[in-house]
Amino acid sequence: MRIYRPGQIKPSEITDREVWLKRRQLIKAGMGVSAGLVLGGASGLAAAVYSGPDRNKKIDALKETDYGKDLEPTRYRSITTYNNFYELGYGKRAPAENAHILKTRPWSIRVSGECAKPGVIDIEDVMKLDQEERIYRFRCVEAWAMVVPWVGLPLGDFLKRFEPGSKAKYVEFETLYDPERMPGQERNVLDWPYREGVRIDEAMHPLAFLATGLYGEVLPGQNGAPLRLVLPWKYGFKSIKSIVSIRFTDKQPGTTWNDIAGDEYGFYANVNPKVSHPRWSQKRHRVLGRGIFGSKEDTLMFNGYAEEVAGLYKGMDLKKNF
Ligand code: MTE
């Protein structure tokens, strides 16, 4: 049996966000630079030797919930070697190769804005907050799908500690800005730091959570250590990694992909097979780790979580609010 390796993805299956990124680099380079040079630069962060992902420290006293028990988890190796994390490089394998550069201690998260108790919380205290540490199994969808046995804490419970007020209509998230620990930021391809946002009712929904680990172990750098957002009913780019700032705001915040290409990446980013991306259909997706290139399957509305989350969008035109 041939083992599927992420490096074997056909060029036609690489997400168009990367195509877009290269196009942007060409534009920035004044169109005079050959594509070869630009692409060569894009992989320049990759470590010379790569020996595969290290297994991380186990999380103690983990209680596994029944949630998602019917879903078969994607292999650890696929989850941790096929990533998007531009701060750690621009190819799918680059984040795993460069994760060692991302030092995740010391680390703290600033919570600010429209709340009664703003403050700074150390990551060690966040990890302790999850009194009933648990494994969730969630299907995630980008242009590909995987099932990740996440460890995390409900986002809503975490946010309530800071007592958001009536003006807290949205929640804005920011990734660390530190080119020493995130060398991808030395290149001006995105408007750093990476930013995301959700409506407060989306943030408070019980399915929204902050991940601290996967497969019962501390989160690997390439998957967004030490803390990343997961909204299982939204496309992958919504799940911002390596968060250092959370802010309650009364206005819809700008988000990295929506600001850069608003016609292609909406603020809501709900998985929706009925709304095509301007350049491709969103009716089907590839399943990571299944066969050489992964078999395709139908994409479900809200990634299969419609029963739980459709009510959040009642009365909204999801073609306009994509
Ligand atoms: N967060 C930061 N800070 N930087 C990124 O480049 N990429 C996003 C999202 N979060 C990204 C990020 C995109 S495009 C995707 S698809 C998911 O992370 C990928 O998460 P995974 O690598 O754990 O599957």
Side-chain angles (χ1 to χ4, degrees):
M1 193 182 86
R2 269 190 81 183
I3 308 283
Y4 160 73
R5 288 174 50 233
Q8 294 171 320
I9 301 291
K10 286 188 284 187
S12 60
E13 296 195 344
I14 292 172
T15 73
D16 267 65
R17 199 171 298 114
E18 283 182 44
V19 174
W20 173 88
L21 183 70
K22 283 163 195 160
R23 207 175 56 202
R24 183 172 147 105
Q25 286 172 333
L26 273 172
I27 294 166
K28 282 206 162 195
M31 305 300 283
V33 186
S34 80
L37 259 183
V38 172
L39 301 187
S43 59
L45 283 171
V49 180
Y50 175 59
S51 56
D54 292 331
R55 296 300 296 243
N56 277 346
K57 218 176 83 193
K58 285 250 175 259
I59 297 176
D60 296 332
L62 199 62
K63 282 188 204 131
E64 191 164 348
T65 60
D66 283 343
Y67 198 86
K69 270 223 152 123
D70 51 323
L71 300 171
E72 193 192 330
T74 304
R75 285 188 312 160
Y76 180 88
R77 194 177 168 83
S78 300
I79 295 171
T80 58
T81 56
Y82 191 80
N83 301 103
N84 274 345
F85 195 174
Y86 288 162
E87 288 89 333
L88 294 180
Y90 300 104
K92 292 281 183 276
R93 287 180 71 96
E97 289 165 347
N98 295 311
H100 62 280
I101 305 170
L102 173 61
K103 300 280 177 268
T104 56
R105 296 294 188 281
W107 195 282
S108 56
I109 297 104
R110 173 178 299 280
V111 182
S112 61
E114 304 291 348
C115 61
K117 290 189 173 161
V120 176
I121 181 162
D122 194 88
I123 188 64
E124 303 299 350
D125 295 325
V126 177
M127 310 281 284
K128 273 182 227 146
L129 273 182
D130 192 6
Q131 296 299 317
E132 293 167 47
E133 282 166 319
R134 61 198 88 186
I135 296 184
Y136 305 88
R137 283 200 181 90
F138 277 116
R139 203 169 329 119
C140 304
V141 164
E142 172 64 357
W144 62 91
M146 55 190 174
V147 173
V148 185
W150 294 107
V151 179
L153 55 151
L155 176 62
D157 289 357
F158 176 79
L159 295 178
K160 279 180 201 152
R161 303 175 66 86
F162 303 90
E163 299 184 11
S166 59
K167 281 180 157 177
K169 306 261 190 270
Y170 295 88
V171 189
E172 181 187 56
F173 300 82
E174 255 181 39
T175 293
L176 174 73
Y177 178 73
D178 180 355
E180 295 231 321
R181 286 195 269 177
M182 297 190 150
Q185 290 173 335
E186 273 160 17
R187 304 181 61 201
N188 211 12
V189 290
L190 292 185
D191 300 319
W192 311 113
Y194 194 102
R195 285 185 304 147
E196 253 314 329
V198 291
R199 245 174 29 201
I200 191 83
D201 57 340
E202 296 180 305
M204 293 296 171
H205 192 279
L207 286 189
F209 67 98
L210 291 167
T212 54
L214 55 83
Y215 264 104
E217 299 171 12
V218 171
L219 204 59
Q222 60 269 35
N223 292 92
L227 193 71
R228 65 88 70 81
L229 180 66
V230 184
L231 299 155
W233 67 98
K234 295 186 183 255
Y235 289 106
F237 66 91
K238 213 64 188 163
S239 30
I240 180 168
K241 299 177 170 182
S242 305
I243 297 165
V244 289
S245 165
I246 300 178
R247 198 167 65 90
F248 297 103
T249 159
D250 57 347
K251 292 187 190 63
Q252 183 176 304
T255 73
T256 293
W257 288 105
N258 187 234
D259 285 354
I260 282 170
D263 51 336
E264 304 202 359
Y265 303 104
F267 175 80
Y268 282 92
N270 290 319
V271 174
N272 190 345
K274 294 182 207 146
V275 177
S276 291
H277 182 279
R279 287 181 286 131
W280 62 83
S281 157
Q282 302 198 115
K283 285 194 167 60
R284 288 170 70 72
H285 57 249
R286 212 159 39 80
V287 182
L288 208 63
R290 243 195 235 168
I292 294 178
F293 295 115
S295 56
K296 291 223 166 183
E297 66 180 19
D298 289 343
T299 302
L300 299 173
M301 193 67 200
F302 298 112
N303 197 19
Y305 301 104
E307 207 178 301
E308 289 98 327
V309 302
L312 292 170
Y313 310 101
K314 220 171 156 202
M316 282 177 74
D317 180 345
L318 297 181
K319 282 209 161 81
K320 279 194 194 137
N321 298 288
F322 59 93

